[in-house]
Amino acid sequence: MTNAVIETILSRRSTKYYDATATLSDEQIRELVRIGTTAPTSFHMQNWRFIAVRSAEAKARLSPIAWHQPAVTEAAVTFIVCGQLADSSVIPQRLAPVVEAGIMPERLIPDWEIPARDLYADYPQRQRDEAVRTGAIGATTMIYVARSWGLGSTPMIGFDADAVHKEFGLAENEIPVLLLSIGAERPGNWAQKPRRPISEILDFV
Ligand SMILES: Cc1cc2nc3c(=O)[nH]c(=O)nc-3n(C[C@H](O)[C@H](O)[C@H](O)COP(=O)(O)O)c2cc1C
């Protein structure tokens, strides 16, 4: 069975060659993040932030601390995808619009906040794991938004996290989860690579 969404998923590949002359407008970049952040997050914390590195000046600051990967300078934009350490105290504020929209009754807010506090408050590793999960799921969704618009994308772990943290003024509670370049491609990119067989990676129980 196929459809447009599946075709988008199956035709995505990690882009190596970008059209360095192609740009994205601030409005297109906003849309990428707006649609991408409809991705789910634990307790609806939305513990992410995105820094759109798209000016020549900002690209020049990122490039040397990202292994001089060509995507940083050639893609229209490279997002520094930040995950924020899970913190249950943000939950009432994050759920307020959900109550406002008539989706959730206000009285249920403590039913989310209290278990989240129990889950995260005394567990720094779990706070950090959640930041990484959140950033990864948000970035993944943006990858497919980009593909659906005919744009290439490259998730990248090839960067110096401490240097990026410092250079781009990330907060104490923020982790640069990955870099995500997005932009128009130029010819020559490889097709999506074959994956491991399902028999190796799927267990039915
Ligand atoms: C977490 C993560 C980190 C990656 N880091 C880099 C990177 O630093 N540089 C790069 O060129 N590609 C990077 N990639 C892309 C992978 O090499 C690519 O997804 C993989 O080879 C499969 O290729 P395909 O997606 O085109 O099929 C990364 C991908 C992921 C998911």
Side-chain angles (χ1 to χ4, degrees):
M1 198 201 56
T2 191
N3 58 45
V5 174
I6 292 172
E7 277 164 26
T8 296
I9 294 170
L10 294 180
S11 64
R12 180 216 55 82
R13 50 16 195 342
S14 295
T15 299
K16 185 164 182 187
Y17 302 116
Y18 285 93
D19 176 352
T21 64
T23 56
L24 290 171
S25 68
D26 287 5
E27 194 45 40
Q28 287 170 308
I29 292 172
R30 265 189 218 103
E31 276 296 275
L32 264 170
V33 175
R34 185 184 70 78
I35 303 169
T37 54
T38 61
T41 55
S42 176
F43 295 97
H44 202 40
M45 282 186 294
Q46 302 165 77
N47 49 321
W48 44 30
R49 189 163 73 87
F50 302 85
I51 302 171
V53 176
R54 55 89 158 86
S55 66
E57 172 272 323
K59 287 177 175 182
R61 285 198 286 134
L62 182 57
S63 177
I65 52 178
W67 300 5
H68 295 281
Q69 296 206 52
V72 170
T73 40
E74 294 179 359
V77 62
T78 296
F79 293 96
I80 302 169
V81 178
C82 305
Q84 298 171 331
L85 300 178
D87 171 8
S88 62
S89 71
V90 305
I91 290 178
Q93 177 209 336
R94 300 289 149 80
L95 291 180
V98 185
V99 172
E100 177 87 355
I103 294 169
M104 176 184 201
E106 191 169 12
R107 66 182 157 74
L108 289 186
I109 291 180
D111 291 2
W112 290 43
E113 188 181 358
I114 295 163
R117 192 180 61 210
D118 294 345
L119 185 63
Y120 298 117
D122 297 328
Y123 301 96
Q125 177 70 49
R126 216 177 266 168
Q127 293 170 16
R128 191 187 159 88
D129 289 349
E130 206 52 69
V132 173
R133 265 192 288 271
T134 291
I137 294 176
T140 304
T141 309
M142 286 163 64
I143 284 171
Y144 290 112
V145 175
R147 177 63 203 152
S148 77
W149 291 351
L151 299 174
S153 63
T154 322
M156 293 183 293
I157 191 54
F159 64 95
D160 177 336
D162 292 338
V164 167
H165 200 281
K166 192 157 172 251
E167 180 66 33
F168 289 88
L170 272 61
E172 190 93 330
N173 71 334
E174 290 180 326
I175 295 159
V177 173
L178 45 75
L179 302 181
L180 175 60
S181 296
I182 291 181
E185 298 182 326
R186 64 185 150 93
N189 285 293
W190 288 353
Q192 187 183 85
K193 303 177 193 80
R195 265 33 184 187
R196 296 169 65 188
I198 296 303
S199 58
E200 268 185 28
I201 61 167
L202 173 65
D203 288 319
F204 290 98
V205 293

